[in-house]
Amino acid sequence: MASYTATINIPDISPAPAGRIGPNLIFNPRGQIFQKGPAMPAPAAIGGYQCDYWGHRGYGSKVFVEQRPVPLGDPLAQRYVMRMTWASVAGPSNYSLIACDIDDVRNYAGSKCTLSLRIRADQNRNICLEHNQHFGEGGASPEWTGAPITIPVTTEFQDIHIPIDDWPSVAGKILGSSETDTDRIGIVLFCEAGSNFNARTNNLGQSSGWIEIARMELREDVNNEIVTMADPWSVYDEEAEFLRCQSLLEVFDKTEVLWSGYVESGKYRWIGLPFKVTKRRYPVITLSNITAVGFGAVTCPLTTKTGLQIAGLGNATINSGYFQANVIVDANHPYTP
C-alpha cells in the first residue's frame, strides 16, 4: 500500500467547555479497523462495509475504498486514513457515496449535533451531507431525510464542523419489529450524483475523484451550543474499536463442514452451524465445493441471524455416507440510500 506526504491546515480549535460535549457516536472514526482487508479487490459498482461500520456504494459509478498508512512524523500523527476513490459513470440515477449508520433512531431526536470531519480531496470540490432517521422494517415510513448540506473540501486536510440542527422529534412514531433491519440514524456523504439526486445533493453533479477522511465525529450539542472539537477526538483504543465493529459486521468463512453417518432414502440429515455475533441484517450464505456420498442434494434450509442448518437429502437406503461443503457467511451488505 502506497503512503504519501500529507499537508495539513488545521485551524486553532478551542476546547469546548466541560460538560457541553456529548459522546462521539461514530465508530472507527479514524478508519483504523478494516476487518475485511485494507482494500477492496477491485473497483466495484456495488460496495458494502469496508472499514467496518462505514458503508460505501456506487450505483452505476465505480467505487474503491482503501486504508492508507500515514508515515511516521507526518503532521496527521495517526496510523491510517481512509481513502474513497470513485470513477463516475454518467447517468441520472448513478451516484457514489460513503455512509455511517448509528443504531437507535432516538439519537439527537428533537436536538442538535455537530458533524466534524478532518478531510481532504484530490482537488477543490464539493461533497454533500445527507442525514436521516430510519425506523426499521415495518416502522414509520417513509424515513425522514434532512435538508442537504454542501461541504467544500480542499486539497489540504482541514477540520470542518457542520451543525445539524433539524433533527425532528420521534414522539408518536412507530418502530419496526425486525431484529435485523433495525431503527437508526444515517450520515451519508455523497461524492457525486446524477440529476435524479439533485434535490438531495444541492445539484452536486458528477465527476471522478477521491477523498481522504482522517477523522470523523458526531456529537450532540448540549445546551443548544455549537460544539467545537476538543483533543483528543474521543478515540477508543484499537482493541475496543475492533470489538465494537465486530459486534455488528463479520465475515465468517467455514470450510469443509462435514456430516457423516447412516443415510436413508428420502430422509434428511443435517448439521447446525452457529454464528458468533448478531448481524443487523440476515447474512448471505454461500455453499461451494459440495461433496455428497449417498445424498442427492445439500442445501441451507434454515437460516437465522444467529446460525444456519445445512441439510442433505438421502438417496441411499440405510448406508454409510457423508456430505461436506465450504460455507461462507457474509454480512457485507451494500448501503442503499
Side-chain angles (χ1 to χ4, degrees):
M1 294 177 292
S3 58
Y4 60 87
T5 300
T7 56
I8 189 165
N9 178 22
I10 299 179
D12 291 334
I13 302 171
S14 300
R20 292 182 180 174
I21 298 179
N24 176 28
L25 294 190
I26 298 289
F27 287 88
N28 200 18
R30 297 173 298 171
Q32 70 268 40
I33 307 298
F34 266 58
Q35 193 173 328
K36 295 181 66 60
M40 293 176 62
I46 297 179
Y49 289 96
Q50 182 69 20
C51 52
D52 283 317
Y53 225 99
W54 293 54
H56 61 278
R57 184 178 177 112
Y59 184 87
S61 300
K62 310 294 185 182
V63 296
F64 180 78
V65 177
E66 59 184 321
Q67 181 189 62
R68 296 174 66 86
V70 177
L72 290 174
D74 188 279
L76 280 177
Q78 64 185 67
R79 292 180 60 183
Y80 303 108
V81 296
M82 176 186 62
R83 175 180 284 196
M84 175 178 166
T85 304
W86 63 94
S88 179
V89 175
S93 298
N94 295 350
Y95 57 82
S96 301
L97 61 80
I98 192 163
C100 186
D101 282 339
I102 300 170
D103 289 323
D104 197 343
V105 74
R106 299 171 182 84
N107 283 307
Y108 308 135
S111 185
K112 302 177 181 180
C113 67
T114 295
L115 176 70
S116 292
L117 292 166
R118 183 165 291 176
I119 187 172
R120 74 170 181 175
D122 59 315
Q123 63 184 45
N124 292 347
R125 64 167 65 249
N126 289 334
I127 60 175
C128 189
L129 167 67
E130 178 180 278
H131 51 295
N132 58 65
Q133 293 174 330
H134 177 74
F135 293 88
E137 182 180 349
S141 181
E143 68 178 23
W144 174 85
T145 299
I149 301 173
T150 298
I151 305 172
V153 183
T154 69
T155 57
E156 295 184 346
F157 278 108
Q158 296 189 74
D159 282 354
I160 301 174
H161 306 287
I162 304 124
I164 304 176
D165 59 6
D166 58 349
W167 294 105
S169 170
V170 295
K173 299 289 187 180
I174 298 175
L175 296 179
S177 57
S178 171
E179 294 182 332
T180 53
D181 182 9
T182 56
D183 62 284
R184 55 193 182 270
I185 62 172
I187 298 295
V188 183
L189 298 177
F190 278 96
C191 298
E192 57 98 21
S195 58
N196 288 354
F197 291 86
N198 281 350
R200 292 174 59 178
T201 63
N202 287 335
N203 301 303
L204 183 61
Q206 294 190 267
S207 64
S208 300
W210 56 259
I211 58 172
E212 286 181 344
I213 297 177
R215 298 186 182 183
M216 183 172 179
E217 282 205 358
L218 189 68
R219 292 176 176 271
E220 185 172 14
D221 295 357
V222 183
N223 299 332
N224 289 322
E225 295 191 19
I226 298 299
V227 172
T228 55
M229 293 298 96
D231 284 329
W233 290 49
S234 294
V235 174
Y236 299 104
D237 66 76
E238 195 161 301
E239 182 179 0
E241 198 68 70
F242 182 83
L243 290 174
R244 287 172 176 264
C245 292
Q246 188 182 46
S247 70
L248 179 64
L249 298 166
E250 179 183 35
V251 172
F252 177 76
D253 189 351
K254 179 71 175 179
T255 61
E256 296 185 348
V257 176
L258 176 66
W259 179 92
S260 62
Y262 287 108
V263 182
E264 186 175 354
S265 179
K267 298 294 182 66
Y268 279 101
R269 297 292 183 264
W270 57 83
I271 185 172
L273 183 64
F275 303 152
K276 290 173 57 180
V277 297
T278 299
K279 279 63 170 189
R280 172 176 283 150
R281 303 177 185 174
Y282 289 113
V284 176
I285 312 297
T286 304
L287 295 184
S288 62
N289 298 327
I290 299 171
T291 301
V293 174
F295 291 89
V298 177
T299 59
C300 283
L302 178 64
T303 301
T304 70
K305 66 185 178 67
T306 57
L308 64 85
Q309 185 183 95
I310 303 173
L313 178 62
N315 61 5
T317 302
I318 309 301
N319 194 5
S320 179
Y322 67 90
F323 61 78
Q324 65 184 29
N326 294 350
V327 182
I328 296 177
V329 181
D330 192 351
N332 181 33
H333 292 274
Y335 179 89
T336 303

